[in-house]
Amino acid sequence: MKIDDMDAFVAVIRCQSTNLAAEALQLTQPAITRRVQNFEEDLGANLLDRNTKPLKPTPMGWRVYEQCKAILREIDTLRELVASDGAPSGTLRLGVPQTIGDVVLLDALAKIREAYPELRTQVVSGWGSSLISRMENGDLDAAAALFPTGKIFPEGIASRSIGRMQLRVVAARGSAPKRSYKLKDCYLRGWVLNPDGCGFRAGLQRALSEQGLSLQINLETFGTELQLGLVANGQGLGLVPEPLLAASRHREQLEVLNVSDFKPQVDLWLFHPRYLGNLQEPVELFGAVSAQRLDSSKIA
């Protein structure tokens, strides 16, 4: 049984396509097909249901897939142990949600490139939950994302909070004359928020549900700056981490609402596989720069 064959099988399941798996492993499609067939022959089992599109594993294939992921993680750990004394090189695969990417990425990537010129960086964006899934699948080396305090990560992922911040309810300047509000006062104004999957939106929805209120969405949009621009134009209320509000070019057109029964806060989490080998130092640098950029006292 060859490790390369196992790797090809895992890539096919993860990508749900032999073509995409070949691209990911920088092989030809026939080579991927041949390796998967060799793996099935070595095990004496059919692992793929070839009558479905996209490709899906058989029930036994699912069990083998989970075991293979664990084996490949251990092999990576062994390789990292041997390589950990060398200077960081190769590719560092980072993940950030779009919510914070505009603020942290430019500085973080510049610092990493300056400190580790032999290291190439790749960045993917997505909700925090999807970044965790990609890390479990071995697609990421590290990620920074916003989650509630006390977040529990899956086994095999090391994590720590590197910053804490308040979420602020914002409105167009001059549109909120009262000194204090409650969530029910905000109900009819509606919200400008990210689509489903956003943790901020989910937290707001839970708070409203506890009071028997529904979440009224005026507009769904990706990205903090676009969201705040729409709020500044009077399209509804927004919900944003305080540091991102402080850094926004729309800050002077917005005001913070004091919502007495809604005081949410989130943590900035840095998470990565437990064993990083010689990538540990650049990952630590990535976390430090991200935390610094999201420290409201240091944002110009």
Side-chain angles (χ1 to χ4, degrees), residues 55-134:
L55 277 174
K56 292 182 179 179
T58 62
M60 176 56 71
W62 274 120
R63 296 171 63 185
V64 171
Y65 170 67
E66 293 298 329
Q67 188 66 38
C68 285
K69 286 198 301 179
I71 293 171
L72 292 173
R73 279 197 297 266
E74 292 301 318
I75 291 172
D76 286 342
T77 299
L78 183 61
R79 289 170 176 163
E80 289 166 3
L81 180 64
V82 174
S84 59
D85 289 337
S89 61
T91 302
L92 175 64
R93 302 164 301 169
L94 301 173
V96 293
Q98 189 174 1
T99 313
I100 64 173
D102 291 344
V103 173
V104 307
L105 269 181
L106 285 178
D107 277 2
L109 295 181
K111 294 290 186 184
I112 292 170
R113 184 168 57 251
E114 179 183 354
Y116 307 102
E118 300 301 316
L119 188 64
R120 188 166 64 96
T121 53
Q122 292 179 346
V123 179
V124 299
S125 182
W127 299 129
S129 56
S130 71
L131 296 179
I132 291 175
S133 296
R134 295 194 68 163

Side-chain angles (χ1 to χ4, degrees), residues 190-194 218-219 221 226-227 230-231 235-239:
W191 298 82
V192 179
L193 296 173
N194 290 321
N218 294 348
L219 285 168
T221 180
L226 179 56
Q227 176 195 7
L230 292 167
V231 173
Q235 299 298 321
L237 302 177
L239 184 62

Side-chain angles (χ1 to χ4, degrees), residues 172-195:
R173 185 169 293 279
S175 67
K178 296 171 61 175
R179 291 187 176 181
S180 180
Y181 291 82
K182 290 186 178 295
L183 269 180
K184 64 180 180 181
D185 300 324
C186 305
Y187 170 67
L188 292 178
R189 299 184 66 165
W191 298 82
V192 179
L193 296 173
N194 290 321

Side-chain angles (χ1 to χ4, degrees), residues 94-106 123-132 134-135 140 142-147 153 162 165 194-195 197-200 222-225 241 244 266-271 286 290 294:
L94 301 173
V96 293
Q98 189 174 1
T99 313
I100 64 173
D102 291 344
V103 173
V104 307
L105 269 181
L106 285 178
V123 179
V124 299
S125 182
W127 299 129
S129 56
S130 71
L131 296 179
I132 291 175
R134 295 194 68 163
M135 187 167 293
L140 291 177
L146 300 173
F147 289 107
F153 287 80
I162 56 176
M165 61 202 73
N194 290 321
C198 172
F200 305 162
F222 284 102
T224 302
E225 278 300 281
L244 300 189
V266 293
D267 283 12
L268 175 65
W269 291 86
L270 176 68
F271 52 101
F286 168 65
S290 298
L294 285 173

